[in-house]
Amino acid sequence: MLLQIENVGVIAVGVDEKPLSCFGCGIGWFSFLLGFVFPPLWYYATVLYLGKYYLKDPRERSGLAASAIAALICSVALLVVLLVVFL
């Protein structure tokens, strides 16, 4: 038995084929990486994550989530340092 596969002439261009912003890594991962130098970028990415920015491009979700987790860890660390210093 011989199976024949026909070639489909039209291939739809999906959202995954467009390059991501910020040098191709996406705004989430870009904010995550630069957040180690300038931590407010983590909070900016957290606002984007909570505002469901990733619905525009699902590839942004992991980077934005990583930035949100980094912002949470940074906030807890800052709170602990302030409590130790002032109490």
Side-chain angles (χ1 to χ4, degrees):
M1 179 177 229
L2 189 59
L3 182 64
Q4 183 178 8
I5 300 174
E6 293 184 25
N7 189 5
V8 178
V10 178
I11 298 174
V13 176
V15 69
D16 293 339
E17 295 183 16
K18 290 187 276 185
L20 289 170
S21 60
C22 295
F23 307 105
C25 67
I27 196 163
W29 287 114
F30 188 75
S31 297
F32 178 74
L33 293 174
L34 257 64
F36 289 103
V37 176
F38 188 64
L41 284 177
W42 287 333
Y43 296 100
Y44 171 71
T46 301
V47 169
L48 290 178
Y49 182 69
L50 295 175
K52 299 191 186 292
Y53 179 79
Y54 56 83
L55 292 178
K56 292 181 182 179
D57 191 348
R59 297 176 293 169
E60 293 281 1
R61 188 174 198 162
S62 60
L64 292 173
S67 294
I69 293 168
L72 177 67
I73 292 171
C74 181
S75 297
V76 170
L78 185 63
L79 182 66
V80 168
V81 167
L82 289 176
L83 286 175
V84 168
V85 169
F86 291 114
L87 291 180

